[in-house]
Amino acid sequence: MTSPPLVDALVVAAGRGTRLKLADDSAPKQYLPLAGLPVLTWTLEALCACPDIHRVQVVIHADDHALYDEARMALSPDAAARLLPAVTGGDTRQASVRLGLEAMSSGRDDVRHVLIHDAARPFLPAEVVTRLVAALRAGDLAVLAALPVHDTLKRAGPDGFATGTVDRSGLWAAQTPQGFGLAEIVSAHRAALAAGETAFTDDTSLAEWAGLKVRLVEGAAETYKITTRADLDRARMDVDRFAATLNRNAPA
Ligand code: CTP
Ligand code: MG
């Protein structure tokens, strides 16, 4: 029996976290502690608890080597063994993803698919990864974890008054991970760079621009992104519950 083609993960952790600055000298959000471990450590443990994920490429900021080493040293041996050497990111998320993809794809003909994930989303359930990988293995080249929008959506004018209600039917909120054919997403990122398109905030938007069809699969409420102080407070409340699921799912 031949084994299925490999799936690697790319974790972008090169941002500065400007919306969540606790103090002028505080670390970027992906290195802040949750139950004593850096956010990035939780993110990497969650990905590495998924048997489908082979290697993990992390993209970091040039100023963060010491913080990254601390996060790496806190990993379980199994997770640490899957890390590729970290590479330096760019000024935008899009640039950081592209630089990570270029590093992880050179000379890796054995890897067919990649899941791209935000370091700032530490609570990733294994089922979401399973759904993404299943869609990729069934032939999709771009797959997005997303949640249906349940709130009523309003459009506001500059005066702060509602100008209308947006029909939410068929609307989904995009999360990460987002899964792709590795060669296809590398080509899409190169094409965006060549075309001067530098403002994509997620990779399925870039993939759509490049002509790939994006499949939606169900994400998870707990995979919210830590963006503000309130999100960090929420994550500090949620971490113990997530740690319990991680232990159950971790390989013996
Ligand atoms: N990211 C990155 N390189 C960048 C910008 C963002 O690798 N130049 C990463 C972040 O580290 C994060 C993810 O992309 O894990 C999502 O971005 P976001 O939540 O916007 O993080 P920051 O850009 O760090 O935060 P802010 O926008 O508040 O400055
Ligand atoms: Mg940002």
Side-chain angles (χ1 to χ4, degrees):
M1 195 180 91
T2 53
S3 41
L6 300 176
V7 184
D8 277 1
L10 171 60
V11 174
V12 278
R16 298 294 75 200
T18 47
R19 286 169 287 181
L20 175 44
K21 268 286 169 225
L22 299 180
D24 283 349
D25 61 347
S26 85
K29 61 189 182 182
Q30 61 273 29
Y31 298 109
L32 295 175
L34 294 178
L37 295 175
V39 168
L40 177 62
T41 302
W42 290 103
T43 309
L44 295 175
E45 284 296 344
L47 271 170
C48 292
C50 303
D52 288 318
I53 301 296
H54 181 57
R55 297 268 178 236
V56 181
Q57 173 71 64
V58 185
V59 182
I60 66 172
H61 192 279
D63 294 346
D64 292 347
H65 282 276
L67 289 165
Y68 175 67
D69 285 343
E70 276 176 45
R72 190 170 52 80
M73 307 287 254
L75 287 170
S76 64
D78 176 64
R82 303 219 223 157
L83 288 187
L84 295 164
V87 296
T88 304
D91 287 342
T92 62
R93 185 186 181 285
Q94 183 183 330
S96 293
V97 171
R98 181 176 44 78
L99 292 163
L101 286 171
E102 294 289 359
M104 70 189 286
S105 63
S106 64
R108 304 284 312 286
D109 294 340
D110 52 339
V111 178
R112 174 75 188 91
H113 299 117
V114 60
L115 298 191
I116 302 177
H117 187 47
D118 291 333
R121 297 180 190 265
F123 306 141
L124 171 64
E127 308 86 79
V128 175
V129 170
T130 303
R131 287 194 274 273
L132 290 161
V133 169
L136 291 171
R137 290 199 169 136
D140 290 321
L141 292 174
V143 193
L144 166 66
L147 288 177
V149 172
H150 295 306
D151 290 329
T152 295
L153 296 177
K154 292 297 204 188
R155 179 166 285 121
D159 58 359
F161 285 94
T163 59
T165 302
V166 180
D167 179 9
R168 70 174 175 226
S169 57
L171 289 188
W172 293 67
Q175 301 187 313
T176 75
Q178 303 184 353
F180 303 94
L182 180 57
E184 288 80 4
I185 195 65
V186 169
S187 299
H189 267 271
R190 286 179 184 164
L193 180 70
E197 297 279 349
T198 58
F200 291 109
T201 53
D202 86 321
D203 302 290
T204 51
S205 309
L206 187 150
E208 273 170 41
W209 171 87
L212 293 173
K213 259 180 98 157
V214 177
R215 162 95 56 197
L216 274 70
V217 300
E218 193 188 346
E222 63 260 55
T223 317
Y224 56 87
K225 183 159 68 73
I226 300 177
T227 304
T228 62
R229 177 67 209 238
D231 299 325
L232 180 67
D233 292 343
R234 178 179 172 194
R236 287 180 170 159
M237 308 270 283
D238 289 345
V239 64
D240 288 342
R241 194 176 41 196
F242 183 72
T245 64
L246 204 55
N247 290 337
R248 264 208 310 281
N249 293 335

